[in-house]
Amino acid sequence: MRSMPSFDLVCLGAGGGPNEADLSAYLLKPSETRWEDGIIALEAGSGIGALTAILDRKPDTFHDLKLSLDTNTPSSIRAAQIYSYIQSFLISHSHLDHVLSLVLSAGSLSTPPSLYQAPFKRRRITGTKEVLDDLSTMIFSDRIWPNLASWS
């Protein structure tokens, strides 16, 4: 008897640098849900750029996705739409190879979809207290990057 997969996982990158298109980042969802229902990002090193490259190489990676875009739409626009479906980022530590796309996309992603029909307006960032403190005091502090994230 063949078991059904539990999760769908797309690897955006698994490296640690210096190639910004191959930094730790994975997109995860339960197999029985649609990508547009909400994605969990495990790490956030690579982002829209790596996703664009994946869509250029393998356009059917998200074959079950119902994009509101024409098939002739550039991969970068489709990638940004897919990336906007992220509901939550799970971050293991605050090195740039794990948070770069989180930082770069903080002020540019559209509102994520409502998970399980619940009202939801913001993406969640989950990590240890140290990770969250690092992000709020070192990255999103208007020193290295504008404070485009809300921590409340």
Side-chain angles (χ1 to χ4, degrees):
M1 179 177 184
R2 185 174 171 196
S3 63
M4 297 300 292
S6 299
F7 295 98
D8 293 330
L9 179 76
V10 173
C11 177
L12 300 183
N19 181 355
E20 67 272 3
D22 186 26
L23 302 176
S24 298
Y26 309 86
L27 302 181
L28 176 74
K29 73 166 187 68
S31 290
E32 70 275 0
T33 65
R34 301 173 312 158
W35 290 101
E36 55 268 39
D37 290 338
I39 298 170
I40 296 171
L42 307 174
E43 309 298 353
S46 293
I48 295 171
L51 188 50
T52 299
I54 289 168
L55 291 172
D56 284 341
R57 283 191 318 273
K58 297 183 177 185
D60 63 338
T61 299
F62 296 88
H63 63 277
D64 56 342
L65 182 66
K66 305 287 188 273
L67 285 174
S68 61
L69 300 170
D70 178 290
T71 55
N72 295 323
T73 302
S75 297
S76 59
I77 303 297
R78 289 184 288 131
Q81 184 172 359
I82 293 167
Y83 208 75
S84 76
Y85 297 146
I86 293 173
Q87 291 279 341
S88 180
F89 291 91
L90 306 179
I91 308 296
S92 66
H93 61 281
S94 52
H95 290 170
L96 281 177
D97 63 319
H98 288 253
V99 301
L100 183 63
S101 71
L102 170 65
V103 175
L104 294 177
S105 66
S108 62
L109 293 178
S110 60
T111 302
S114 296
L115 187 60
Y116 307 116
Q117 308 305 321
F120 187 78
K121 302 258 190 269
R122 298 181 297 181
R123 286 171 183 80
R124 300 193 187 284
I125 301 171
T126 303
T128 64
K129 181 177 181 336
E130 180 181 31
V131 167
L132 299 177
D133 287 348
D134 286 349
L135 289 172
S136 65
T137 61
M138 294 183 196
I139 304 292
F140 295 113
S141 62
D142 282 330
R143 292 181 58 151
I144 292 176
W145 197 254
N147 186 4
L148 301 173
S150 171
W151 297 101
S152 57

